[in-house]
């Protein structure tokens, strides 16, 4: 079955979710908040746990609820006309009054999330007689931590005081105040209605009359008070931005104007790119100063806190689209670089933030996530991201502004990151049971298992962390080289080369022709076959004589599903196609692999993985890749891979993965400080034409057209912005299996040194 013949998969068909910034509204299929994990959340705290509507004593009948924009939804409801037979056509002997009576009253509720949320409720009388409408609104707020909601176990609570104040004819404010001594939260609900508002201690009630064809508007603002600070809705009538949102909206729109565009001959690629760009825009946190607002939240609905690893990964993956995402992430995450050691938070000087939550459990110290550092990916990503942003933007001032933090993280890496001084980077939590055990990108407790399925104790030197730190040192060395600091560059190049040599000697499993997942606490190989090694290929730490074997194994049936590469081999005893890190498919992991396949020139394999991931975009609603999806093998028995339960959608690094895969196909590597651009394209037969427009290379905006000819060779043409730009073409005849990217960068740097020496 072709993907386009399938009904599109929805990660959670039972809910409708809208969001903007850290404000998330999770509703049921009818657009109400009635049960379970639904509610209005701010900073992973539920400020509204109930929103229900009754009309004339009975529950409104939901017709449909559908998202319009990421931040808005429209829902329709019906009620019978209370005028009864009077509202039916004269002469009709149907005692029920038919549809004219049964569907006589319509409610349309337009909801806009952001700064709390705003609702326009349009009530219309479609019947033939005047009707008196009594509408009742049930609200509640419990101020639960999202973790408490999902687990069903309350760990913090205090009385909630409910009060109502009439503020004028048809106007009133209902307030839920959280009486916790250490958490000053409240939810204010302001309503304007055509009739008088009354409160019976459980529901608000308004009564008004409608003539036939008449409509009335009711407006509701849900405005939180967060730690004593009042927040106002960002949208008003018909979704018009309010003064509270306009500055952020302007900055957000500026991001859109700076984005790279593509024109793809394949409509699936075009749709996937457009969706990914839209999702990355919608996920902006809109917090902090200027460019910090571009920092993406990790995913909706659960991961709206600041996650260092997720924001930096998304920024790196999507740098071809817009380097401002990476810059914002570097600024937001770098602001929280640890300055002192504190085992409660897994903090050490120079270590980069894993996550910062302002949820009740974090604020009260019942978990360590107020500012938590239990992650070994974020430090490497921070260094790598800083160097990549400099390479793309040429913004020396921006690099200089964060260089001290970059160097502090580099110092942490070799001082505390290598626990036992053996030259590898191994993690262990210092925060006890409250901390996160596994601190690579696969951070679930059971993610790292021995080949027989047994548990691996800490400390663990996981493979892709070694690759990431190698790439970070390489990239930072290039940055220092481009800044003229050749001594520091040489030192980092030497350190990276030594790490690569150690890694290939200790992690390589000759009998498996593959790399071990990790080294355990005894420094023995964890001989599990997993997708982490695809990231190692992407980071360039794999020796060239081993790269072909790695690429072949990643595309073997136990790893490749037809929709992408699994996190864990299907031959492993713990394999489960619907378990988080034990056999599912992660778009971000596949993006890393695609970068690696491109780096070593395995273009056919790249096209196979890229084609599979793009096919997956066609089976999900909105062409949107969720955080993770099922690892079932593609075929007649499994026409789609399945949806991982409670996956986030949209999710920042899944959206960014689409951009990264397109980046791999074009083979574009800017070295803006040197006015240089490396080009090594390889388009597949299903994507014969691709034009990249408005690509940022320093101060330039470059447009490039790519074309795959009948012989399978991809040619390129600079359309705009090439004046004075040194284009380094790798060429279609470059050796397969060599680290083409590193060779090309070395050639450009060597040419730059030669020219400087001449002048």
């Amino acid at each position: 079955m072709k993907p386009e013949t399938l009904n599109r998969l929805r990660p959670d068909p039972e809910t409708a979710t809208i969001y903007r910034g850290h404000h998330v509204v999770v509703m049921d299929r009818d657009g109400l908040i009635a049960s379970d994990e639904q509610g209005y959340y701010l900073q992973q705290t539920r400020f509204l746990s109930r929103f229900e509507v009754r009309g004339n004593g009975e529950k409104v009948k939901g017709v449909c609820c559908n998202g319009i924009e990421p931040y808005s939804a429209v829902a329709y409801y019906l009620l019978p006309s209370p005028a009864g037979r009077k509202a039916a056509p004269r002469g009709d002997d149907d005692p029920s009054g038919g549809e004219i009576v049964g569907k006589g009253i319509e409610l349309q509720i337009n909801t806009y999330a952001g700064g709390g949320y705003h609702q326009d409720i349009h009530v219309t009388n479609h019947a033939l007689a005047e009707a008196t409408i009594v509408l009742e609104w049930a609200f509640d707020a419990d101020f639960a931590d999202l973790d408490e909601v999902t687990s069903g176990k309350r760990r913090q609570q205090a009385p909630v005081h409910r009060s109502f104040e009439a503020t004028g004819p048809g106007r009133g404010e209902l307030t839920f105040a959280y009486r916790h001594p250490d958490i000053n939260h409240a939810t204010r609900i302001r309503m304007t209605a055509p009739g008088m508002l009354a409160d019976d201690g459980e529901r608000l009630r308004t009564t008004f009359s409608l003539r036939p064809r008449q409509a009335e508007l009711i407006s509701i603002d849900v405005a939180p008070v967060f730690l004593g600070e009042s927040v106002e809705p960002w949208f008003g009538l018909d979704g018009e931005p309010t003064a509270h949102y306009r500055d952020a909206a302007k900055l957000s729109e500026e991001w859109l104007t700076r984005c790279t565009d593509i024109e793809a001959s394949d409509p699936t690629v075009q749709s996937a790119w457009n969706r990914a760009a839209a999702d990355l825009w919608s996920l902006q946190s809109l917090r902090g100063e200027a460019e910090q607002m571009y920092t993406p939240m990790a995913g909706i609905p659960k991961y709206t806190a600041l996650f260092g690893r997720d924001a930096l990964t998304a920024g790196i993956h999507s740098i071809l689209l817009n380097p401002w995402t990476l810059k914002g992430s570097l600024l937001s995450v770098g602001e929280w670089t640890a300055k002192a050691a504190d085992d409660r938070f897994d903090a050490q000087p120079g270590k980069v933030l894993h996550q910062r939550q302002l949820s009740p459990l974090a604020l009260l110290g019942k978990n360590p996530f107020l500012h938590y550092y239990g992650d070994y990916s974020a430090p490497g990503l921070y260094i790598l991201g800083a160097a990549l942003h400099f390479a793309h933007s040429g913004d020396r001032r921006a690099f200089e502004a964060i260089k001290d933090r970059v160097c502090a993280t580099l110092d942490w890496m070799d001082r505390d990151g290598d626990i036992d001084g053996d030259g590898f980077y191994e993690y262990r939590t210092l925060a006890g049971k409250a901390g996160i055990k596994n601190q690579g990108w696969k951070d679930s407790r059971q993610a790292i298992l021995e080949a027989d399925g047994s548990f691996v104790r800490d400390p663990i030197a996981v493979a892709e962390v070694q690759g990431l730190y190698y790439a970070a040192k390489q990239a930072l060395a290039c940055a220092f080289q481009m800044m003229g600091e050749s001594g520091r560059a040489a030192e980092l190049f030497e350190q990276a080369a030594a790490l690569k040599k150690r890694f290939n000697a200790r992690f390589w499993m000759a009998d498996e022709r593959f790399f071990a997942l990790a080294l355990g606490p005894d420094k023995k190989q964890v001989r599990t076959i997993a997708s982490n090694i695809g990231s190692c290929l992407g980071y360039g730490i794999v020796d060239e004589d081993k790269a072909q074997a790695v690429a072949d194994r990643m595309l073997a049936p136990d790893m490749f599903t037809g929709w992408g590469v699994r996190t864990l081999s299907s031959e492993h005893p713990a394999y489960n196609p619907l378990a988080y890190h034990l056999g599912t498919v992660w778009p971000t992991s596949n993006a890393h692999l695609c970068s690696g396949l491109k780096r070593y020139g395995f273009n056919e394999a790249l096209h196979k993985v890229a084609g599979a991931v793009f096919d997956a975009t066609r089976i999900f609603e909105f062409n949107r890749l969720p955080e993770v999806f099922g690892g079932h093998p593609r075929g007649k028995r499994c026409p789609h891979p399945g949806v991982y339960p409670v996956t986030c959608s949209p999710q920042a690094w899944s959206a960014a993965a689409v951009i990264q895969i397109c980046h791999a196909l074009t083979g574009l590597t800017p070295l803006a400080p040197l006015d240089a651009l490396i080009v090594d394209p390889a388009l597949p037969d299903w994507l014969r034409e691709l034009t990249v427009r408005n690509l940022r290379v320093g101060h330039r905006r470059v447009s490039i057209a790519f074309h795959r000819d009948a012989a399978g060779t991809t040619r390129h043409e600079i359309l705009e912005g090439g004046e004075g730009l040194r284009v380094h073409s790798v060429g279609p005849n470059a050796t397969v299996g060599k680290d083409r990217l590193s060779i090309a960068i070395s050639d450009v740097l060597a040419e730059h040194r030669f020219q400087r020496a001449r002048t």
Side-chain angles (χ1 to χ4, degrees):
M1 184 182 293
K2 295 181 179 179
E4 56 266 29
T5 67
L6 291 167
N7 291 326
R8 295 296 185 102
L9 297 178
R10 291 188 64 188
D12 185 357
E14 298 302 314
T15 63
T17 301
I18 57 176
Y19 60 94
R20 194 70 176 111
H22 292 273
H23 303 268
V24 182
V25 183
V26 183
M27 304 169 283
D28 66 17
R29 288 184 295 178
D30 292 334
L32 304 176
I33 297 171
S35 62
D36 300 327
E37 298 177 16
Q38 297 159 15
Y40 157 54
Y41 293 88
L42 169 59
Q43 296 289 359
Q44 298 175 290
T45 307
R46 185 157 66 176
F47 278 77
L48 198 69
S49 55
R50 187 184 183 195
F51 168 67
E52 296 180 303
V53 187
R54 295 170 62 86
N56 300 311
E58 58 184 278
K59 185 179 179 181
V60 295
K61 180 181 180 181
V63 176
C64 63
C65 176
N66 199 39
I68 306 302
E69 298 286 351
Y71 57 84
S72 67
V74 173
Y76 296 95
Y77 309 87
L78 291 172
L79 282 168
S81 170
R85 288 288 300 145
K86 293 179 182 179
R90 284 178 291 180
D92 188 343
D93 58 2
D94 181 354
S96 72
E99 280 196 314
I100 289 179
V101 172
K103 300 178 180 178
I105 308 299
E106 175 197 314
L107 275 70
Q108 176 185 339
I109 302 182
N110 297 357
T111 305
Y112 306 92
Y117 68 91
H118 172 81
Q119 290 185 316
D120 296 327
I121 300 155
H122 301 274
V123 187
T124 306
N125 182 3
H126 293 297
L128 300 177
E130 184 172 348
T132 299
I133 314 293
V134 180
L135 292 179
E136 296 178 307
W137 314 87
F139 300 96
D140 207 351
D142 61 3
F143 303 98
D145 190 294
L146 177 60
D147 182 67
E148 296 175 315
V149 176
T150 55
S151 69
K153 298 177 181 178
R154 193 72 186 244
R155 298 174 58 197
Q156 60 82 36
Q157 58 185 340
V160 178
H161 181 258
R162 183 186 192 278
S163 62
F164 175 77
E165 179 184 2
T167 55
R171 296 175 179 270
E173 180 169 305
L174 177 65
T175 301
F176 294 93
Y178 195 38
R179 295 294 177 82
H180 195 291
D182 299 312
I183 301 177
N184 185 7
H185 287 347
T187 303
R188 300 164 299 158
I189 303 166
R190 297 191 293 264
M191 181 180 289
T192 301
M196 293 298 295
L197 280 175
D199 177 48
D200 64 5
E202 239 180 81
R203 292 181 175 87
L204 294 183
R205 182 181 297 106
T206 183
T207 304
F208 55 95
S209 294
L210 291 176
R211 298 185 304 276
R213 316 301 299 169
Q214 184 183 1
E216 288 283 3
L217 172 66
I218 298 170
S219 69
I220 296 176
D221 282 332
V222 177
V225 176
F226 187 84
L227 295 179
E229 181 179 346
S230 296
V231 181
E232 291 296 328
W234 294 347
F235 299 97
L237 180 64
D238 293 332
E240 283 298 310
T242 67
H244 304 285
Y245 176 61
R246 288 190 189 115
D247 289 344
K250 183 179 179 181
L251 282 170
S252 191
E253 293 301 320
E254 283 183 15
W255 181 91
L256 286 172
T257 65
R258 299 291 186 99
C259 282
T260 301
D261 296 319
I262 69 163
E263 298 163 10
S265 60
D266 181 82
T268 298
V269 174
Q270 188 71 58
S271 296
W273 174 281
N274 293 345
R275 169 50 52 192
D279 283 345
L280 286 167
W281 172 83
S282 74
L283 287 166
Q284 292 170 347
S285 68
L286 304 180
R287 289 179 63 86
E289 298 296 326
E291 289 153 325
Q292 286 181 294
M293 291 189 178
Y294 305 134
T295 306
M297 299 178 293
I300 302 298
K302 291 187 174 181
Y303 300 130
T304 59
L306 175 60
F307 283 84
R309 177 188 59 215
D310 296 66
L312 292 166
T313 298
I316 290 169
H317 274 342
S318 66
I319 197 167
L320 182 73
L321 174 71
N322 195 324
W324 278 15
T325 301
L326 178 55
K327 185 176 183 181
S329 300
L330 288 165
L331 293 172
S332 296
V333 175
E335 198 174 75
W336 287 95
T337 299
K339 295 180 175 61
D342 191 332
D343 289 357
R344 295 173 302 165
F345 302 104
D346 269 329
Q348 295 165 323
K351 200 173 182 186
V352 176
L353 182 78
H354 173 242
Q355 61 176 292
R356 172 163 166 75
Q357 292 188 19
L358 293 174
S359 62
L361 295 182
L363 290 169
L364 296 172
K366 294 182 179 292
N367 65 38
F369 302 138
L370 185 64
H371 38 75
Y372 182 62
Y373 297 86
D375 176 48
Y376 262 50
S377 296
L381 291 167
Y382 186 72
I383 295 172
L384 178 61
L388 287 178
H389 183 267
F390 181 48
H392 277 251
S393 69
D395 191 340
R396 183 176 182 126
R397 181 178 298 178
F399 183 77
E400 291 278 10
I402 63 173
K403 189 169 73 169
D404 286 348
R405 288 175 180 163
V406 169
C407 291
T409 299
L410 190 66
D411 290 342
W412 168 84
M413 188 183 291
D414 291 321
R415 183 188 64 244
D416 300 317
D418 180 3
I419 294 174
D420 56 12
D422 68 341
F424 294 114
Y425 303 99
E426 50 273 303
Y427 58 70
R428 67 180 175 199
T429 182
L430 305 173
K433 292 183 179 180
I436 293 175
K437 179 196 179 297
N438 286 316
Q439 298 185 3
W441 85 263
K442 293 180 180 176
D443 57 2
S444 59
R445 183 168 178 78
Q446 297 179 344
I448 308 300
L449 299 175
E450 296 281 4
D452 63 1
S454 58
F455 205 60
V456 182
R457 302 290 177 185
D458 294 346
I460 300 173
V462 73
E464 88 279 359
V465 165
Q466 318 309 310
L468 172 55
Y469 288 13
Y470 165 80
K473 289 189 174 187
Q474 285 275 98
L476 188 58
C478 290
F480 282 140
Q481 186 76 58
M482 291 187 287
M483 291 179 69
E485 299 184 34
S486 56
R488 299 188 75 178
E491 182 181 357
L492 284 168
F493 278 131
E494 184 178 340
Q495 291 175 12
L499 174 57
K500 183 174 183 177
K501 183 177 181 180
R502 290 192 298 272
F503 174 81
N504 283 270
R506 294 288 300 278
F507 279 74
W508 181 247
M509 301 183 295
D511 56 335
E512 291 282 359
R513 307 270 310 148
F514 202 66
F515 286 93
L517 171 59
L519 301 181
D522 55 3
K523 295 302 175 181
K524 293 181 180 178
Q525 293 177 343
V526 177
R527 295 174 58 82
T528 292
I529 307 298
S531 65
N532 305 54
I533 309 308
S535 297
C536 293
L537 204 65
Y539 291 133
I541 198 173
V542 174
D543 276 347
E544 292 174 342
D545 63 350
K546 301 175 178 65
Q548 182 73 63
V550 170
D552 290 345
R553 187 57 191 273
M554 296 301 287
L555 272 294
D558 66 315
M559 292 298 292
F560 183 68
T561 71
W563 304 109
V565 171
R566 297 183 179 96
T567 47
L568 184 68
S569 166
S570 60
E571 297 174 355
H572 193 279
Y575 164 71
N576 183 330
L578 293 175
Y580 204 49
H581 291 130
L582 300 176
T584 50
V585 173
W586 286 68
T588 183
S589 180
N590 281 266
H592 280 299
L593 173 60
C594 284
S595 296
L597 296 171
K598 177 71 234 175
R599 175 188 280 270
Y600 289 89
F602 302 126
N603 290 328
E604 288 187 15
L606 164 63
H607 298 161
K608 187 173 183 178
V609 176
V613 175
F614 281 119
D615 279 352
T617 67
R618 294 190 293 176
I619 64 175
F620 288 101
E621 188 179 41
F622 309 128
N623 299 93
R624 172 185 287 150
L625 291 173
E627 173 190 15
V628 53
F629 55 87
H632 288 288
R634 185 175 182 176
K636 185 176 290 187
R637 180 186 167 199
C638 301
H640 68 75
V643 177
Y644 175 76
V646 304
T647 186
C648 282
S649 183
Q651 207 258 8
W653 61 13
S654 288
V658 170
I659 310 300
Q660 179 64 40
I661 292 172
C662 291
H663 198 161
L665 294 172
T666 62
L668 293 169
T669 304
L671 295 173
L674 307 183
D675 293 318
L677 176 66
I678 296 169
V679 185
D680 182 17
L683 298 184
D685 58 4
W686 42 267
L687 180 63
R688 292 183 172 271
E689 304 280 347
L690 183 69
T691 300
V692 176
R693 296 194 183 277
N694 200 33
L695 170 68
R696 181 172 178 175
V697 182
H699 64 276
R700 293 180 175 84
R701 299 294 182 270
V702 181
S703 294
I704 310 174
F706 300 94
H707 168 72
R708 178 184 166 110
D709 63 23
T713 300
T714 300
R715 312 289 182 182
H716 72 273
E717 178 187 359
I718 306 291
L719 304 177
E720 296 175 304
E723 300 82 8
L725 183 67
R726 292 187 294 137
V727 178
H728 181 93
S729 298
V730 175
N733 299 318
T735 305
V736 173
K738 296 291 185 181
D739 186 346
R740 297 151 65 104
L741 179 59
S742 291
I743 293 170
I745 291 173
S746 295
D747 288 346
V748 173
L749 290 175
E751 181 185 350
H752 174 66
R753 287 195 298 270
F754 176 72
Q755 289 181 345
R756 287 186 64 186
R758 290 186 61 187
T759 58

